[in-house]
């Protein structure tokens, strides 16, 4: 036991960990909302994850950070919730409603970028990702994404699932998955560029 | 080698983040990116979106300053 690398909070470990749970909760909620697009469902999932973290406290091996361990639990709970959504028929059909048009609008018939849509520089990636403003725009652009696309995109980019795993969960072909991710990225980049650069320029 | 147009180039930029591209696809994309400034930017943006997930995870799990015993 004393071999724990985190010996700083060995003595009051459970107590300290519970305080850390309370501290990380808002950030877990923000993440779950982004993924599930339903505030009350996100609430439930975070609650379940926190309960599981307390119940399984003895399983925390101290190899990863405590918050990382809790985050892993949350990811599993989110995946369960997504599966339940799917069983309830909440994942509607995959046909697009004007999505393809919105994507195609960025290109000329020849396949070149439309002048209006030509991607511009977002500046240094590290400072972009460190900017609070960027994350605000990111959040609103995620909400603006069509639900089916957002779900696949977040499974891939936020949950870190492979496209193979995603096809299994979603019951679609891997090829279809790539098409959806391609559209999602094009829509997101257009939305982000609009929100991010207009702010940065002014 | 057939020339890629921007739309098709973005398809490969996206795909490369999910699975490794074939050699032909890689060459075609590389060639297009070397010539097309707009796609070069798009490629950076896709990459940034891809990295954003990792950053978000890091931000979510970073220990807050006011709790815990680690000195910073
Ligand atoms: Zn191009």
């Amino acid at each position: 036991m004393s071999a724990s690398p985190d010996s700083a909070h060995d003595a009051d470990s459970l107590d300290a960990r519970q305080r850390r749970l309370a501290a990380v909760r808002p950030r877990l909620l923000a993440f779950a909302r982004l993924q599930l697009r339903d505030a009350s469902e996100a609430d439930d999932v975070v609650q379940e994850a926190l309960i599981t973290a307390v119940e399984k406290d003895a399983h925390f091996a101290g190899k990863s950070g405590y918050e990382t361990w809790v985050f892993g639990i949350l990811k599993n709970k989110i995946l369960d919730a997504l599966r339940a959504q799917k069983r309830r028929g909440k994942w509607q059909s995959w046909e697009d409603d004007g999505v393809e048009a919105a994507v195609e609008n960025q290109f000329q018939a020849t396949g070149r970028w439309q002048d209006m849509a030509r991607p511009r520089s977002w500046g240094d990636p590290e400072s972009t990702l460190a900017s609070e403003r960027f994350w605000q725009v990111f959040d609103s652009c995620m909400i603006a994404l069509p639900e089916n696309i957002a779900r696949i995109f977040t499974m891939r980019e936020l949950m870190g699932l492979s496209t193979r795993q995603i096809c299994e969960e979603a019951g679609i072909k891997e090829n279809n998955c790539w098409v959806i991710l391609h559209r999602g990225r094009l829509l997101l980049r257009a939305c982000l560029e609009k929100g991010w650069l207009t702010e940065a320029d002014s | 080698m057939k020339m890629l147009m921007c739309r098709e180039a973005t398809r490969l930029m996206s795909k490369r983040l999910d699975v490794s591209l074939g050699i032909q696809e890689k060459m075609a994309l590389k060639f297009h990116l070397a010539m097309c400034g707009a796609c070069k930017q798009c490629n950076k943006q896709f990459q940034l979106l891809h990295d954003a997930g990792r950053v978000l995870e890091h931000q979510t799990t970073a220990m807050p300053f006011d709790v815990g015993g680690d000195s910073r």
Side-chain angles (χ1 to χ4, degrees):
Chain A
M1 270 293 152
S2 56
S4 159
D6 238 351
S7 54
H9 29 69
D10 249 4
D12 58 339
S13 56
L14 186 60
D15 190 48
R17 289 208 276 274
Q18 301 221 351
R19 265 182 289 132
R20 282 166 75 166
L21 282 184
V24 78
R25 188 171 179 279
R27 282 175 285 155
L28 296 180
L29 254 181
F31 182 85
R33 280 189 186 146
L34 213 48
Q35 180 71 67
L36 292 170
R37 298 164 77 91
D38 181 317
S40 74
E41 217 171 319
D43 258 341
D44 291 349
V45 158
V46 169
Q47 202 57 35
E48 276 179 45
L50 296 181
I51 290 169
T52 305
V54 172
E55 281 174 356
K56 295 202 171 161
D57 189 70
H59 294 267
F60 173 59
K63 281 185 199 124
S64 60
Y66 181 61
E67 283 76 8
T68 306
W69 179 73
V70 177
F71 190 63
I73 295 175
L74 177 67
K75 277 189 183 174
N76 282 324
K77 298 284 179 196
I78 289 175
L79 204 50
D80 287 344
L82 286 171
R83 288 175 184 141
Q85 278 186 354
K86 182 162 184 271
R87 279 196 300 275
R88 290 202 308 272
K90 219 189 152 199
W91 296 21
Q92 321 104 322
S93 66
W94 294 98
E95 60 209 60
D96 54 286
D97 19 31
V99 171
E100 190 162 3
V103 171
E104 286 304 313
N105 274 345
Q106 297 188 36
F107 299 99
Q108 303 173 25
T110 59
R112 287 206 177 85
W113 290 99
Q114 291 281 9
D115 287 343
M116 290 293 292
R118 283 175 71 84
R120 293 186 289 154
S121 170
W122 290 359
D124 172 52
E126 262 183 52
S127 35
T128 302
L129 287 172
S131 150
E132 208 170 303
R133 169 72 195 160
F134 173 83
W135 288 102
Q136 285 166 3
V137 178
F138 181 84
D139 264 23
S140 58
C141 287
M142 284 297 303
I143 290 164
L145 267 192
E147 194 166 305
N148 284 331
I149 293 185
R151 189 177 299 121
I152 301 295
F153 179 84
T154 50
M155 284 170 101
R156 175 75 191 110
E157 300 289 45
L158 303 187
M159 305 268 288
L161 299 182
S162 70
T163 46
R164 183 174 302 220
Q165 288 171 297
I166 294 170
C167 331
E168 274 172 32
E169 296 292 345
I172 55 175
K173 296 245 164 65
E174 195 168 18
N175 198 39
N176 211 336
C177 207
W178 293 329
V179 171
I180 293 167
L181 286 168
H182 179 211
R183 286 179 184 166
R185 287 173 177 133
L186 282 172
L187 291 175
L188 256 187
R189 70 140 293 274
C191 177
L192 274 160
E193 183 156 310
K194 217 165 138 201
W196 171 238
L197 286 187
T198 38
E199 188 71 15
D201 287 349
S202 57
Chain B
M1 184 164 55
K2 98 177 146 73
M3 285 276 286
L4 281 189
M5 286 314 241
C6 300
R7 187 202 285 110
E8 180 66 3
T10 65
R11 188 182 69 79
L12 294 180
M13 289 171 212
S14 175
K15 191 179 170 191
R16 104 183 151 78
L17 298 171
D18 303 317
V19 71
S20 50
L21 297 179
I23 186 86
Q24 300 256 350
E25 291 176 320
K26 252 185 222 167
M27 295 291 292
L29 178 59
K30 200 174 165 189
F31 190 67
H32 185 92
L33 288 178
M35 301 186 318
C36 180
C39 281
K40 213 178 288 173
Q41 291 302 337
C42 185
N43 192 42
K44 283 187 195 162
Q45 294 173 4
F46 280 8
Q47 183 67 53
L48 183 132
L49 288 174
H50 188 65
D51 296 338
R54 254 52 41 180
V55 171
L56 190 65
E57 171 156 355
H58 184 76
Q59 284 176 357
T60 306
T61 58
M63 238 229 320
F65 298 121
D66 51 336
V67 287
D70 287 316
S71 55
R72 281 204 45 145

